[in-house]
Amino acid sequence: MIMDGKNQSTLPHGASAQPEIAEVRSIAIEVESGPAKGTIQVTAGSRCTIGSHSRCDLIVDDATVSRFHCEILTDRTRARVIDTGSRNGTMLDGVSVRDAYLRDGSRIQVGSTTLRVSFANSSTTLKLSKHRKFGEMIGESVAMREVFYLLERAANSDATLLIEGETGTGKSLAARSVHDASRRKDHPFVILDCGAIPANLMESELFGHERGAFTGASQARMGALEEADGGTLFLDEVGELPLDLQPKLLGALEGRAVLRVGGNSSRAVDVRIVAATNRNLREEVNAERFRSDLYYRFAVIAITLPALRHRRLDNISLAQQILHRLGADSEKIDLLMSNGLQQKLNTAIWSGNVRELRNYLERCLVFEEVVPILEVNAGNETGDYSAYSYAEAKTLALRSFESNYLRSLLSNHDKVASAAKHAEIDRTYFYRLLRRHGIKS
């Protein structure tokens, strides 16, 4: 996350409230060997990026270090290192890791550079919203109140906003809430799902086209950027944006003008961009699937929505809100809670986050009891689903099959297009399946 009471939906545009604060532990990172030997970086927030790119918090000018190599996340007591798709991997105390907790004195190897981590005695102050609600989003946890603080500030500006987070964490809801709290709330909120549109149609969907621009273009049509003029354009799953289209989008954002496909003159637009992705765009930049200049154009304000397992304090109030919206009255909600629902809420992993939670609660209402949680890997290696009803076991087995099949396909094919072709399914639908199971392509 880039750092820059009283339940109310949003702060009015231009208004402010004195934030509350929380603290996270400071980490000192010393470069022990490599080109930047002797450099010391003390973390100044909950996230510290490490890599060779000039926008990293700790810049390591080493040819064997990726642009965005890894990052260190901290809370009040612990810190962890996450490899962000680096070319050469990240080693922690001699072991290759993807995501691992650090100890005081740990050594991190990035390329040919060694970093030593020390837990500092000082701490960093994080600003938290005084509110437990933003738009339709609710949260008592420190993680969500930190998000609300950033969303409130984002709503009071026209700056481009990038919302990252796992599938089902509420990115589209956050985008809509920012728009509704902004000065643009009375103007269009246009959604463009970059993962659901074939690559050959994306340019027309974004920029529009003139009559006769291509076969089938029988009349002129404005694109999403023009439709959102005066309001907000929400680019969902922006990590799916075709690489060859990214320079044109960057040019349109920088010039605040749109050139339709087949057109000769640009049209001025006044649009606020909110982009969202369940991918780590820093990984995509490392893999050269996403332009770094466009990434930074999106990430003027960057907010990462926490996974449900990282905000367990919110589970009960979130479930109550969802049940109310599904039509349950207070008596039915209290009955479910007393019959074991509260324990389920606090012990489940919720890998699908709020979307999975909502589906589970809807099943509870349909069966009028606390039903088993359908985890993707709930069956054992022999496929024993005997603990479930026939309908539940069938759903569970299908989810498990889909997840395993998709992962196997991707491991055997370099590109999503070839994997979809091998499976004989449409590429757009293939992307939807990947998002449904939280699988990165």
Side-chain angles (χ1 to χ4, degrees):
M1 191 176 297
I2 293 179
M3 295 304 303
D4 277 315
K6 304 165 183 173
N7 290 340
Q8 71 179 58
S9 177
T10 60
L11 290 176
H13 179 68
S16 63
Q18 187 64 30
E20 297 179 7
I21 61 173
E23 294 183 344
V24 295
R25 194 163 195 171
S26 294
I27 303 294
I29 310 166
E30 178 183 1
V31 182
E32 281 196 332
S33 67
K37 182 178 180 180
T39 302
I40 298 177
Q41 176 75 34
V42 179
T43 57
S46 58
R47 182 189 301 269
C48 177
T49 56
I50 301 171
S52 59
H53 197 281
S54 61
R55 295 291 293 272
C56 288
D57 298 307
L58 175 56
I59 303 170
V60 181
D61 189 12
D62 181 338
T64 62
V65 171
S66 297
R67 284 176 285 185
F68 301 99
H69 200 102
C70 63
E71 56 192 19
I72 293 178
L73 304 183
T74 57
D75 57 26
R76 283 180 296 176
T77 58
R78 299 189 296 181
R80 47 196 259 256
V81 61
I82 300 175
D83 181 86
T84 48
S86 64
R87 293 189 305 272
N88 297 322
T90 300
M91 303 283 287
L92 175 61
D93 295 326
V95 178
S96 179
V97 297
R98 176 70 175 82
D99 185 343
Y101 282 101
L102 299 167
R103 60 176 178 80
D104 191 21
S106 285
R107 284 178 169 80
I108 302 172
Q109 185 82 25
V110 291
S112 60
T113 294
T114 302
L115 312 173
R116 185 178 186 277
V117 175
S118 302
F119 288 1
N121 294 325
S122 60
S123 59
T124 299
T125 298
L126 301 180
K127 295 179 180 179
L128 310 179
S129 172
K130 295 180 67 174
H131 304 89
R132 273 64 174 175
K133 188 175 183 181
F134 182 79
E136 296 300 316
M137 306 172 74
I138 63 172
E140 294 279 339
S141 63
V142 169
M144 283 306 293
R145 288 169 60 206
E146 185 185 2
V147 165
F148 290 166
Y149 174 80
L150 295 172
L151 290 175
E152 288 165 0
R153 269 61 197 171
N156 281 328
S157 78
D158 278 339
T160 305
L161 171 63
L162 175 64
I163 304 174
E164 296 179 294
E166 295 178 8
T167 297
T169 49
K171 296 184 290 295
S172 59
L173 189 59
R176 181 78 210 202
S177 297
V178 166
H179 172 78
D180 289 343
S182 74
R183 68 176 182 84
R184 296 174 178 267
K185 62 183 179 181
D186 295 325
H187 297 278
F189 178 76
V190 177
I191 302 173
L192 185 67
D193 187 343
C194 300
I197 300 171
N200 63 322
L201 297 180
M202 180 61 74
E203 184 174 7
S204 174
E205 291 293 325
L206 260 177
F207 304 108
H209 61 258
E210 298 292 357
R211 180 180 178 182
F214 50 82
T215 303
S218 56
Q219 59 185 10
R221 178 181 178 275
M222 68 171 59
L225 283 162
E226 284 186 78
E227 289 180 22
D229 191 25
T232 302
L233 174 59
F234 176 45
L235 296 175
D236 198 10
E237 300 302 341
V238 74
E240 310 291 344
L241 198 65
L243 187 60
D244 59 355
L245 192 57
Q246 292 177 25
K248 186 170 183 179
L249 176 57
L250 179 63
L253 298 182
E254 295 288 355
R256 298 179 178 273
V258 172
L259 177 63
R260 290 182 179 180
V261 177
N264 296 318
S265 59
S266 298
R267 301 164 187 261
V269 291
D270 173 24
V271 179
R272 198 264 178 90
I273 300 293
V274 178
T277 178
N278 62 4
R279 297 190 180 199
N280 186 322
L281 288 189
R282 293 172 294 285
E283 291 188 13
E284 298 302 298
V285 171
N286 285 339
E288 299 184 347
R289 291 189 295 263
F290 205 87
R291 292 174 60 102
S292 61
D293 50 3
L294 183 58
Y295 166 71
Y296 279 111
R297 186 65 183 80
F298 283 144
V300 175
I301 302 174
I303 299 175
T304 301
L305 298 187
L308 204 53
R309 61 185 176 278
H310 295 150
R311 46 176 296 208
R312 290 190 180 276
L313 182 63
D314 300 329
N315 283 356
I316 303 301
S317 58
L318 193 56
Q320 291 172 333
Q321 181 196 57
I322 293 171
L323 287 168
H324 274 301
R325 289 178 177 173
L326 290 173
D329 56 28
S330 298
E331 182 179 350
K332 182 171 288 187
I333 293 174
D334 291 342
L335 182 62
L336 288 172
M337 290 293 182
S338 63
N339 285 341
L341 178 58
Q342 185 166 332
Q343 181 182 6
K344 294 267 189 191
L345 293 173
N346 290 329
T347 57
I349 297 175
W350 303 118
S351 56
N353 295 296
V354 180
R355 185 176 294 121
E356 181 186 0
L357 174 62
R358 186 189 187 283
N359 292 341
Y360 171 71
L361 293 173
E362 190 169 8
R363 289 201 303 276
C364 289
L365 288 181
V366 169
F367 291 102
E368 297 186 334
E369 62 178 351
V370 179
V371 299
I373 296 173
L374 301 182
E375 296 288 355
V376 171
N377 297 316
N380 61 25
E381 293 180 357
T382 63
D384 182 7
Y385 301 105
S386 58
Y388 303 91
S389 70
Y390 172 78
E392 291 172 337
K394 183 178 179 181
T395 300
L396 177 59
L398 179 59
R399 288 180 60 184
S400 180
F401 159 74
E402 282 186 349
S403 178
N404 292 333
Y405 179 69
L406 293 170
R407 293 178 193 278
S408 296
L409 270 180
L410 290 176
S411 67
N412 293 324
H413 295 270
D414 294 333
K415 297 181 179 180
V416 169
S418 60
K421 183 177 180 180
H422 179 84
E424 298 182 359
I425 57 179
D426 181 75
R427 184 172 60 178
T428 299
Y429 180 64
F430 192 87
Y431 274 119
R432 289 178 182 170
L433 289 175
L434 294 179
R435 292 201 302 275
R436 180 187 301 170
H437 293 278
I439 299 173
K440 293 182 178 181
S441 57

